[in-house]
Amino acid sequence: MSDEPVRRLPLLPLRGLTIFPYMVLHFDVGRAKSIAALEAAMVNDQEIFLVTQKDTKIDDPEIDDIFEVGTISKIKQLLKLPGETIRVLVEGLERGRILEYTKQEPYFEANLVTPKKYDKAEIELQLEAISRSVLSSFETYVKLSNKISPETLLTVSTLEDPDRLADIIAANILVRSEDKQRILESFHPVERLENLYDILIREIEILEIENKINLRVKKQIDKVQREYYLREQLKAIQRELGESEGVAGEIEEYEEKIEKANLPEEVEEKAAKELNRLSKMGPGSAEGSVIRTYLDWILDLPWNIETEDNLDLKNAARILDEDHYGLEKVKERVIEYLAVRQLTKNMKGPILCFVGPPGVGKTSIARSIARSLNRKFVRMSVGGVRDEAEIRGHRRTYVGAIPGRIIASIKQAGSKNPVFLLDEIDKMSSDFRGDPASALLEVLDAEQNYAFRDHYLELPFDLSKVMFLTTANTLETIPRPLLDRMEVIQISGYTEEEKRNIASKYLIPKQMKEHGLPENSIILSDQTISDIINYYTRESGVRSLERQIATICRRAARKILETGRERVKITSGNLNKYLGIPRFHYDKVKNQDEIGIVTGLAWTSVGGDTLSIEVTPMAGTGKLVLTGQLGDVMKESARAGFSYIRSRAAKFGLSEDFHEKLDIHIHIPEGAIPKDGPSAGITMTTAVISALTEIPVRSDVAMTGEITLRGRILPIGGLKEKILAAHRAGIKKVIIPLENKRDLDEIPDNVKRKVEIVLAENMDEVLSHALTRMPEPISGGNNDGDQKS
Ligand code: ADP
């Protein structure tokens, strides 16, 4: 051991304290052994060896419990305190290491070595370098810790002796006793400074982390405090304005409603989020009212409300019969559909689409289906919808946004499994605002509609339990992909007899009930009902018939009240007192045969209709002039007919160049509904031939059929509607294409009995039935028709 010299001193173990050279320290001494050591020291030259105990808890330490290195110190002052305690003031002088204990009782005494003196010059550079590092890290430490006064920094930085530097810094800053001991045990100054540097760096790191954590915590606390403070302020302001209860009460009310509503998890979360936003808003703010509307919507929707189905098919059949006359095939198919749905237990099948003219009971059948299943019923017309947003809603960022009509209808239904009727799907259109048909497709698609997303709600709504039904007047304008998903049920117009039955069995009792008229208070004979049908309505369905009956009920009710009579009898004679002058005159359909006028039969989206085609030739240059409400296909078909006539001119007794000096004007009067399609081909051709040959056309004949350039006749659609229209118009004979023979099954027998149906294959046959006589061919003509077989 190179350290020297050896000294012998009394030893006092310190508990929880470390003393460094140059350090002044006072502590209290109570242990008898320690007091003995003090006394021994005072007898000597007041020097004592102070060493730290390894474990502060030990009261009576053994040799092994005491560190080996301590500080030789000078006792400066002793102060007797009450009791056996003495307060000591000491100053550290220099390090010492125990060589051996020389005494253990009544106090410890040991032989010590002190550090040898170093040749300062030898280690000057090393010292200088390490002291600089220590100093700069100490500075950082002071800055970070802000527990140490700047004066200490000043004192330390002005120290000349690097030997003291380490001890002073260690005495001032170190907390852990093992760190202090480590510095104390470093006898060589360079080693001591290095150790200190090491510890400082670690301490700085710890401080940095500590600061970071503190900062974060502080920020968090600040934010919470700030919000709390602001909210309190807001409350105070609202209280001043007398609004506080309103807002707080409203929030509470919503909270309660949300809790009670038993919403799906995702919906509830969203509602809570919105409510939280609302709670931060002033009572008058515009955004607040947007949120309120939104919350109301969410709360009003039947997220979990479902009605229980009545699956009894017999019951369904009974209700359909109860509500509707006839329609046997339709009812049968509806029951079949319900049966299949029940067996497959899902809604993935096709969607029923009722197709037919207005007023034939499409809506009312859908309503009956809902009634028989015990489901709610909603109806939404998509006719005229051209904007996708109408189906799917606008996003909430859009001013005045509301959900689309699907969601609105579901809200109206109040259950998530209503019967949902989409009316008039053939009248949808699309433009730049998006295609409503594709949105509708998603609604109807069982693979997608369990999570239908409305732009406004921003939440998926389950439409998979909804039973969708659709109606249309015609299949032609239904977008193809929609049509593919549907099972079409055609409902055609009613005959007069059917209408009469519907009126007497359904419409009249229904209207009487609605007008509060007792049974039998109105007497309407079958003849009167027929008169209403024939003179006051002109339709395929029974909608305006029902309106007329309602009018009669209204007037009759008044009469009963005014006159006190118990019943009123409505006859053909007094009908005009109730309904005004007759509006239509079928029976008076021209009963005079005329030249150039032919009755055709048309089929429009509102059912069958008759149309009268007029043709006049006049001097001109061979032009074909067409006027009236007619479409392109019809015009083409007129041209084809005209070409046919020219190619057969001689056969009709016309000179070959007849067209060179003539213009031919074809006009189709009356009717706001545009007519199109090729089925007026034979009608126009017949009218032109009649006009050119000046042979009259029979007034009680009507016709329909497409014509080819060679005079052949091609089949047409909508035969039943057309024949019913002819029947309504009092026509006795209808000429139709031979190929439509297969459709005759659909025509009710009583109609077939009244209207003679002629099947024609070519133009000759048509003319022979329609014209009062056949034209005389110019002999030697080159145009014997290919049709003569
Ligand atoms: P659509 O939807 O086809 O236009 P609606 O269902 O609105 O026709 O029918 C119009 C009215 O005629 C309703 O009051 C309906 O009850 C009645 N109706 C139609 N067809 C029948 C029928 N076959 N039996 C009884 N009432 C009918």
Side-chain angles (χ1 to χ4, degrees), residues 85-290:
T85 315
I86 298 174
R87 178 159 295 172
V88 199
L89 183 73
V90 293
E91 186 189 359
L93 299 177
E94 65 174 328
R95 290 175 162 71
R97 173 179 286 122
I98 299 169
L99 263 186
E100 67 208 335
Y101 280 84
T102 50
K103 211 192 260 185
Q104 293 194 36
E105 292 298 336
Y107 56 90
F108 289 114
E109 188 190 68
N111 282 341
L112 312 166
V113 282
T114 52
K116 79 170 196 205
K117 297 288 171 259
Y118 298 94
D119 180 355
K120 291 244 169 93
E122 213 174 89
I123 54 168
E124 197 184 328
L125 287 181
Q126 259 180 303
L127 269 181
E128 177 69 27
I130 187 72
S131 352
R132 278 192 204 169
S133 303
V134 166
L135 262 178
S136 88
S137 58
F138 182 60
E139 253 175 70
T140 316
Y141 180 90
V142 171
K143 259 189 237 152
L144 285 173
S145 91
N146 67 43
K147 271 188 211 122
I148 293 168
S149 69
E151 289 89 72
T152 318
L153 183 61
L154 203 68
T155 336
V156 169
S157 54
T158 49
L159 272 181
E160 290 284 297
D161 188 354
D163 225 12
R164 297 180 60 182
L165 182 66
D167 286 342
I168 290 186
I169 292 179
N172 269 298
I173 65 162
L174 297 184
V175 245
R176 299 195 311 169
S177 72
E178 59 263 40
D179 287 343
K180 291 185 188 172
Q181 194 64 32
R182 187 172 153 203
I183 300 296
L184 201 61
E185 286 179 9
S186 321
F187 274 31
H188 193 285
V190 174
E191 180 198 327
R192 193 182 309 144
L193 282 166
E194 275 171 358
N195 280 337
L196 180 64
Y197 182 64
D198 212 29
I199 295 171
L200 271 176
I201 293 295
R202 212 191 70 223
E203 286 294 315
I204 287 173
E205 247 171 57
I206 294 175
L207 275 181
E208 272 172 349
I209 294 173
E210 233 174 58
N211 281 354
K212 240 187 242 166
I213 294 173
N214 283 346
L215 199 71
R216 213 178 301 144
V217 172
K218 190 166 171 297
K219 254 194 202 156
Q220 236 159 17
I221 293 177
D222 278 358
K223 189 170 167 247
V224 171
Q225 270 182 341
R226 193 171 154 263
E227 276 187 11
Y228 172 79
Y229 177 72
L230 287 177
R231 208 151 303 141
E232 285 301 304
Q233 259 190 342
L234 183 67
K235 271 193 208 154
I237 293 170
Q238 285 172 343
R239 216 172 296 132
E240 269 317 295
L241 293 171
E243 287 166 344
S244 81
E245 271 175 21
V247 174
E250 186 187 26
I251 301 285
E252 242 169 61
E253 215 173 280
Y254 272 125
E255 265 166 6
E256 228 169 79
K257 276 194 203 159
I258 291 173
E259 203 173 304
K260 271 199 206 137
N262 184 23
L263 302 171
E265 201 176 318
E266 192 180 350
V267 180
E268 187 165 338
E269 265 169 34
K270 176 95 181 163
K273 215 164 112 196
E274 294 294 325
L275 189 58
N276 184 32
R277 280 204 321 137
L278 180 64
S279 66
K280 289 176 192 160
M281 256 158 230
S285 84
E287 208 180 334
S289 78
V290 171

